[in-house]
Amino acid sequence: MAILVTDGFEQVEMTEPRKALDQAGANTSIVSPKEGHVRGWNFTEWGDSFPVDVPLAQARPEDFDAILLPGGVINPDTLRMNEGAVLFAQAFLDGGKPVATICHGPWTLIETGKVKGRRLAAWPSLQTDLENAGAEWVDKDAVVDGNLVSSRKPDDIPAFNREMIGLFGRTDARQAQQRAS
């Protein structure tokens, strides 16, 4: 599972979903255009530093089964201007792989041009951005639309984690069944 971030991701929107995924048996890797370490944002100030497991320049979407796009403002605003990050995220949408995003994370997805007709929860200030991209913004704690799960904010993390684990589990079962046949 790829966790695509750069400096300024909302720390709790990465650490809590990552912990839930790890506890569910997933193998998570921080992927970033920045090498070495990335630094989280802890609500109103800089947070902790985390090692980058796979530099984006070396990351291949086919090596991952799913992607997590945490929010924060700085992180997705930076990622959406990075062509490699946008193409990396787009590969998951194009491949029908699970995509989980929270808060401002959908900014990166908007840049893929692949959210038209999709339903997403996101931070309220993204409503116009999503609607302009042809998506429907939904004011709920967690929304599942096909291979995409989304939430609005850190308070939604328990619902987000539940729906994310459910979506990824259904996808894993489907992939295992396809391999067996």
Side-chain angles (χ1 to χ4, degrees):
M1 161 117 203
I3 302 172
L4 181 61
V5 294
T6 193
D7 287 333
F9 61 90
E10 187 64 58
Q11 188 165 309
V12 71
E13 294 174 4
M14 189 280 285
T15 58
E16 290 304 306
R18 185 179 201 184
K19 186 183 343 173
L21 289 163
D22 289 342
Q23 288 173 347
N27 213 353
T28 58
S29 297
I30 292 178
V31 176
S32 180
K34 186 172 179 227
E35 294 191 29
H37 287 80
V38 288
R39 195 156 179 208
W41 185 257
N42 198 10
F43 297 106
T44 60
E45 59 191 18
W46 286 104
D48 298 326
S49 183
F50 297 86
V52 172
D53 299 305
V54 183
L56 180 61
Q58 298 169 8
R60 299 172 349 135
E62 57 269 21
D63 292 340
F64 298 95
D65 295 323
I67 189 170
L68 169 64
L69 299 165
V73 176
I74 300 167
N75 167 64
D77 193 42
T78 302
L79 290 176
R80 70 180 174 162
M81 295 186 307
N82 180 306
E83 183 181 8
V86 172
L87 291 173
F88 187 76
Q90 181 177 331
F92 290 85
L93 291 170
D94 288 345
K97 293 182 178 184
V99 175
T101 186
I102 186 168
C103 194
H104 288 77
W107 267 344
T108 306
L109 296 179
I110 288 169
E111 289 302 315
T112 70
K114 304 287 182 173
V115 297
K116 186 174 184 175
R118 304 299 296 263
R119 297 176 70 243
L120 288 97
W123 188 256
S125 66
L126 271 69
Q127 179 177 356
T128 300
D129 297 335
L130 286 164
E131 290 172 352
N132 286 340
E136 177 187 350
W137 176 77
V138 182
D139 188 14
K140 287 183 62 177
D141 59 0
V143 174
V144 177
D145 181 354
N147 65 323
L148 178 61
V149 60
S150 57
S151 286
R152 303 169 298 192
K153 57 189 174 184
D155 290 345
D156 296 339
I157 289 173
F160 178 68
N161 285 349
R162 181 181 61 250
E163 295 298 338
M164 177 182 60
I165 298 295
L167 173 64
F168 292 179
R170 289 188 300 278
T171 302
D172 285 345
R174 213 172 27 253
Q175 288 170 348
Q177 186 179 35
Q178 289 171 346
R179 282 191 296 269
S181 48

